[in-house]
Amino acid sequence: QKLYTEIKINVQFKGLSTKQLCELLQAIEQKARVYTKELTIIKKNDSLDVTLTIATLKSAISTGKKG
């Protein structure tokens, strides 16, 4: 029986600078319950197109609480 279920979200950013990407990744890293699952970076001229998958874990055990 799994204790946790992974919840993922995919997001895309176009035209980011290197500084913006670094700040975004640092902000995600500082969140205790969220982590980077996958990162794809494509350089386009002077900017970056980024596809990012972030994830978190949700308890799969029911607490019996509703609402």
Side-chain angles (χ1 to χ4, degrees):
Q1 178 181 358
K2 288 186 177 183
L3 299 178
Y4 296 95
T5 301
E6 185 176 63
I7 300 170
K8 297 186 284 186
I9 185 169
N10 297 310
V11 291
Q12 289 186 325
F13 300 95
K14 294 189 181 285
L16 288 182
S17 68
T18 303
K19 181 182 178 189
Q20 289 172 315
L21 177 58
C22 289
E23 289 171 352
L24 174 64
L25 294 174
Q26 284 177 333
I28 293 169
E29 186 68 25
Q30 291 175 358
K31 300 294 181 188
R33 295 182 171 231
V34 178
Y35 54 94
T36 302
K37 184 82 174 170
E38 186 176 336
L39 176 65
T40 303
I41 303 169
I42 299 172
K43 184 172 172 134
K44 298 248 177 135
N45 299 321
D46 292 333
S47 65
L48 305 172
D49 289 351
V50 177
T51 302
L52 177 64
T53 302
I54 57 175
T56 188
L57 296 176
K58 178 182 175 186
S59 177
I61 299 172
S62 174
T63 61
K65 295 180 182 177
K66 292 186 179 178

